[in-house]
Amino acid sequence: LGETWAEDGEQLDYETLYENNRVCYDAELPSEVLVLTCAVDVQDDRLEYEIEGWAVGNRSYGIEYGILMGDPSKKSVWGLLDDHLKRKFSHADGYNLSISCTCIDSGGHATNEVYKFCKEREHLRVFAIKGRGGSGLPIISRPTRNNRIGAALFSIGVDTGKDLIYARLRERDNTKDGYCYYPMNDDGTPTMGYDIKYFKGLTTEKRRVRYNKGHAKFEWHKASGARNEPFDLKNYNIAALEILVVKLEVLAEKAKQAVVRRKETSTEPVGQPKQRNRRRIVSKGI
């Protein structure tokens, strides 16, 4: 009849991801992690953020998911975020990484505050982003400064990113490119914000097919009242990695060479490993 109608699509099982994709890290950062990115979602009463690590093959490692309570129209909560973005994270050998790029959503609440915060920190690769729906859009587009603050603003193709995320989360073979890891304590309990609620938010949306006069159109659907911040933040972290334009394979080779140099110049006696602070987790292999 030429009427508009829709078919429900796939929705990932959050309990399966919670059971299968969590592993014990041997330190704050697994040895495979080469780059850190951060994503920030702005709500009326809080900032939600996720720090993610990236390895060869675009394998991702959840490092920390957190909430900073406070009114985004006030300076205090942005001060808390600033402190978080300045932190360093350690590998098991004591080598530290800082966050290389941060994306903050400007499309909803406290837009001017987002622009101002990012403008002052562009030299640290802290950028404002705004999502654009629709199929076929690039994950990131060239930045513009067409706003009152003159801050660099990147548009991101959120549907393209969501398609990519679901493809990666469906992967069950952890040797494949794009596999997603998340941390847990050695007794299987959640750590660093990655509890069952996080995985519910990560999988709350489903991809639907809508037909209009016989033409199919794909769209993402979220149930009314459902929270999807983890899904959005993973999208923003993918955008942050795209903005960096890094070659992870090249970084991996440089990291290997750096490890060799540190061993050659180390003055510690053989058989006496450097003492380090470790998180409350033990490596079980990845």
Side-chain angles (χ1 to χ4, degrees), residues 66-87:
I67 298 176
L68 304 174
M69 297 302 299
D71 184 349
S73 66
K74 309 296 183 183
K75 291 183 178 181
S76 56
V77 72
W78 294 103
L80 293 175
L81 178 62
D82 196 35
D83 291 341
H84 274 65
L85 298 183
K86 293 175 181 177
R87 293 157 58 200

Side-chain angles (χ1 to χ4, degrees), residues 146-194:
N146 187 24
N147 53 76
R148 291 175 59 188
I149 309 297
L153 174 65
F154 287 86
S155 293
I156 69 170
V158 291
D159 290 347
T160 302
K162 290 176 179 181
D163 291 344
L164 180 59
I165 292 168
Y166 254 54
R168 291 176 175 179
L169 292 176
R170 280 197 301 265
E171 183 59 62
R172 299 269 52 87
D173 183 353
N174 64 5
T175 66
K176 293 294 185 63
D177 289 356
Y179 191 84
C180 304
Y181 294 96
Y182 298 94
M184 68 177 179
N185 288 316
D186 59 343
D187 61 357
T189 56
T191 185
M192 308 311 293
Y194 293 101

Side-chain angles (χ1 to χ4, degrees), residues 96-194:
N96 295 328
L97 285 181
S98 300
I99 295 170
S100 294
C101 185
T102 300
C103 285
I104 305 178
D105 181 30
S106 66
H109 309 271
T111 298
N112 285 335
E113 285 76 8
V114 173
Y115 288 158
K116 185 174 186 299
F117 183 87
C118 294
K119 174 69 173 179
E120 294 171 353
R121 293 162 181 81
E122 286 182 3
H123 63 289
L124 300 174
R125 298 192 187 93
V126 178
F127 298 113
I129 59 170
K130 185 175 182 179
R132 293 176 58 204
S135 60
L137 295 176
I139 292 177
I140 59 165
S141 301
R142 293 176 63 89
T144 67
R145 295 186 181 273
N146 187 24
N147 53 76
R148 291 175 59 188
I149 309 297
L153 174 65
F154 287 86
S155 293
I156 69 170
V158 291
D159 290 347
T160 302
K162 290 176 179 181
D163 291 344
L164 180 59
I165 292 168
Y166 254 54
R168 291 176 175 179
L169 292 176
R170 280 197 301 265
E171 183 59 62
R172 299 269 52 87
D173 183 353
N174 64 5
T175 66
K176 293 294 185 63
D177 289 356
Y179 191 84
C180 304
Y181 294 96
Y182 298 94
M184 68 177 179
N185 288 316
D186 59 343
D187 61 357
T189 56
T191 185
M192 308 311 293
Y194 293 101

Side-chain angles (χ1 to χ4, degrees), residues 130-284:
K130 185 175 182 179
R132 293 176 58 204
S135 60
L137 295 176
I139 292 177
I140 59 165
S141 301
R142 293 176 63 89
T144 67
R145 295 186 181 273
N146 187 24
N147 53 76
R148 291 175 59 188
I149 309 297
L153 174 65
F154 287 86
S155 293
I156 69 170
V158 291
D159 290 347
T160 302
K162 290 176 179 181
D163 291 344
L164 180 59
I165 292 168
Y166 254 54
R168 291 176 175 179
L169 292 176
R170 280 197 301 265
E171 183 59 62
R172 299 269 52 87
D173 183 353
N174 64 5
T175 66
K176 293 294 185 63
D177 289 356
Y179 191 84
C180 304
Y181 294 96
Y182 298 94
M184 68 177 179
N185 288 316
D186 59 343
D187 61 357
T189 56
T191 185
M192 308 311 293
Y194 293 101
D195 55 13
I196 194 68
K197 183 179 179 181
Y198 168 87
F199 288 91
K200 285 183 179 180
L202 187 62
T203 59
T204 190
E205 294 193 32
K206 65 172 65 175
R207 191 170 185 252
R208 303 172 66 183
V209 184
R210 182 176 294 275
Y211 293 90
N212 187 12
K213 297 181 180 180
H215 298 285
K217 180 181 179 181
F218 293 97
E219 59 185 28
W220 286 90
H221 175 75
K222 176 177 71 72
S224 178
R227 308 304 309 184
N228 67 338
E229 286 85 358
F231 195 34
D232 286 341
L233 289 174
K234 192 159 188 68
N235 212 342
Y236 305 161
N237 267 311
I238 289 174
L241 186 67
E242 289 284 322
I243 291 171
L244 280 175
V245 196
V246 295
K247 295 184 178 180
L248 293 168
E249 292 78 6
V250 174
L251 288 183
E253 183 59 35
K254 290 182 178 179
K256 289 180 182 178
Q257 296 173 3
V259 169
V260 172
R261 288 195 297 270
R262 288 199 297 272
K263 288 182 178 179
E264 291 175 347
T265 59
S266 175
T267 59
E268 294 179 358
V270 176
Q272 297 295 323
K274 180 180 179 180
Q275 295 296 316
R276 60 182 181 273
N277 294 324
R278 298 178 61 170
R279 280 171 36 185
R280 304 178 308 279
I281 48 183
V282 178
S283 175
K284 292 183 179 178

